[in-house]
Amino acid sequence: MHRITLIQGDGIGPEVTQVAKNLINHVLNITQETQIDWDIQNAGSTAETLISDELLNSIQKNGLALKGPITTPIGTGFRSVNVYLRQHFNLYANMRPIKKIIPGRYETPIDFMIFRENTEGLYAGVEHIIDENKVVADKIVTRQASENIAKAAFNYAQKMGLDEVHIVHKANILKEADGLFLKVAHKVAEDYPTIKATPVIVDNMAMQLVMNPSQFKVICTTNLYGDILSDLSAGLVGGLGLAPGANMGSDIAIFEPVHGSAPDIAGQDLANPTACLLSSVMLLNHIEAYQAAHLLEKAIIQTLNSGKRTKDLGGTLTTSAYEVALRESIDSFN
């Protein structure tokens, strides 16, 4: 039995997390590998408190969470709930799998993992108003956080039998900040002699991803670069509706779709839960429910490639109809 915090989020969050919860329970009922006791919590604009002590205590106690998207105001208002949770629990590794599961603009396979440092950089949110015409933001880079993300990337490459990690930086310009990140990553690489550490300047990496994404297997980078490159990469395989994510720390992990809360379609049965479901696959693998993870992923791929898709992916299905189609695909394998 695993007790897992379920953060419903706002906008389309409650809809996509409900589908995920339903189908996780369904595949686990089939495989009988484990059971999940869901600890349902709220956060964001629809909650009484943006981030409650009850929510934080739930995540701390359970050590695992599945989270829906939460709205972040642009330019004004409260800081990102996502960023707060990552920093509060020191979830230093943001893992963004990029995998082609439906036909797209590239004929070759695309399957790589982005490791994004998740706690500092410009997202530390340290800003100084000098006067009405000038604002300065501090980019914070520490040896420890750089080491944490580099180790996560190289450990993953080693576990998966891969022989190269691309380290993305801008040390040609930011010689001290990105220079420290690059120096630490190369130092970590010395402990993995069978894995090549290849540095790439961030703007060149953006170009290379568009030209030939199949050449990459593991990318390790800083917070802001990782945010931008992971969204760019999602566009290579069908968009944010197919982009899962995981925030990993030493003792706590939060799994979440990468996309936003889409308040304009909330409550209309139009949401695409695929990214949340692929994040659920990551969660199931994390708790070693490997059969359930494989069954759910297989059903997602079969359903999408049979043409049964939500409107954002060129289909006609509502959220609820898509859930039914996925359930039918799961049952067809048994």
Side-chain angles (χ1 to χ4, degrees):
M1 174 69 74
H2 291 270
R3 186 163 174 80
I4 297 177
T5 303
L6 180 65
I7 308 168
Q8 298 179 98
D10 53 34
I12 61 171
E15 297 169 74
V16 298
T17 54
Q18 183 63 50
V19 173
K21 174 177 173 286
N22 292 345
L23 293 180
I24 289 173
N25 289 343
H26 187 56
V27 292
L28 288 176
N29 284 337
I30 292 171
T31 65
Q32 293 293 302
E33 292 170 280
T34 187
Q35 292 180 327
I36 293 176
D37 177 20
W38 295 102
D39 182 1
I40 298 176
Q41 299 287 334
N42 289 310
S45 61
T46 59
E48 291 185 11
T49 303
L50 192 66
I51 307 173
S52 67
D53 289 341
E54 183 181 2
L55 168 64
L56 297 176
N57 291 337
S58 171
I59 297 172
Q60 185 70 55
K61 181 178 179 181
N62 297 330
L64 285 172
L66 177 64
K67 177 186 152 300
I70 295 176
T71 303
T72 301
I74 297 175
T76 60
F78 58 84
R79 288 189 61 204
S80 167
V81 172
N82 301 330
V83 172
Y84 178 87
L85 292 175
R86 294 165 188 170
Q87 294 176 346
H88 181 81
F89 292 111
N90 193 28
L91 305 177
Y92 54 80
N94 185 247
M95 298 175 64
R96 298 280 183 91
I98 306 297
K99 185 175 181 179
K100 186 176 76 172
I101 60 175
I102 61 173
R105 66 192 67 200
Y106 297 92
E107 295 183 1
T108 55
I110 301 173
D111 187 0
F112 59 90
M113 183 73 77
I114 296 177
F115 281 83
R116 166 191 170 191
E117 199 290 315
N118 213 21
T119 62
E120 56 181 29
L122 285 170
Y123 286 22
V126 181
E127 297 181 293
H128 312 277
I129 300 175
I130 306 303
D131 56 42
E132 62 181 10
N133 298 310
K134 186 176 182 180
V135 175
V136 175
D138 294 339
K139 178 174 181 174
I140 298 174
V141 178
T142 66
R143 183 177 301 275
Q144 186 62 63
S146 301
E147 184 177 287
N148 287 343
I149 193 64
K151 284 184 176 179
F154 279 90
N155 282 337
Y156 173 84
Q158 186 176 67
K159 179 181 177 181
M160 301 301 292
L162 304 172
D163 61 2
E164 187 173 19
V165 172
H166 287 83
I167 305 167
V168 179
H169 65 94
K170 193 65 177 175
N172 56 322
I173 302 298
L174 299 171
K175 298 183 186 298
E176 299 299 330
D178 282 30
L180 176 60
F181 175 80
L182 185 60
K183 178 181 177 181
V184 171
H186 277 299
K187 181 64 176 177
V188 169
E190 293 176 3
D191 294 329
Y192 303 84
T194 63
I195 302 173
K196 181 182 179 183
T198 302
V200 185
I201 296 173
V202 62
D203 37 331
N204 181 37
M205 173 56 76
M207 180 186 71
Q208 294 294 336
L209 280 167
V210 172
M211 293 180 65
N212 181 19
S214 299
Q215 66 182 297
F216 300 108
K217 295 302 177 185
V218 182
I219 294 170
C220 177
T221 190
T222 59
N223 205 336
L224 177 62
Y225 306 155
D227 192 6
I228 295 169
L229 292 177
S230 58
D231 277 21
L232 180 154
S233 298
L236 307 177
V237 296
L240 291 177
L242 301 174
N247 304 282
M248 312 295 291
S250 299
D251 303 306
I252 293 173
I254 299 178
F255 299 83
E256 63 181 353
V258 172
H259 59 70
S261 58
D264 56 318
I265 61 168
Q268 300 178 45
D269 203 23
L270 295 175
N272 175 12
T274 304
C276 194
L277 289 166
L278 291 171
S279 301
S280 302
V281 170
M282 298 179 74
L283 184 154
L284 288 168
N285 278 317
H286 182 74
I287 64 174
E288 300 181 353
Y290 300 121
Q291 295 177 54
H294 177 70
L295 183 57
L296 181 55
E297 184 177 34
K298 187 178 177 181
I300 294 167
I301 294 171
Q302 174 178 280
T303 302
L304 290 174
N305 285 289
S306 70
K308 297 176 181 178
R309 305 178 185 180
T310 49
K311 291 183 179 180
D312 62 304
L313 294 178
T316 60
L317 297 187
T318 61
T319 308
S320 53
Y322 182 57
E323 179 182 352
V324 170
L326 288 164
R327 189 179 293 265
E328 290 174 348
S329 290
I330 291 168
D331 293 341
S332 72
F333 297 131
N334 295 278

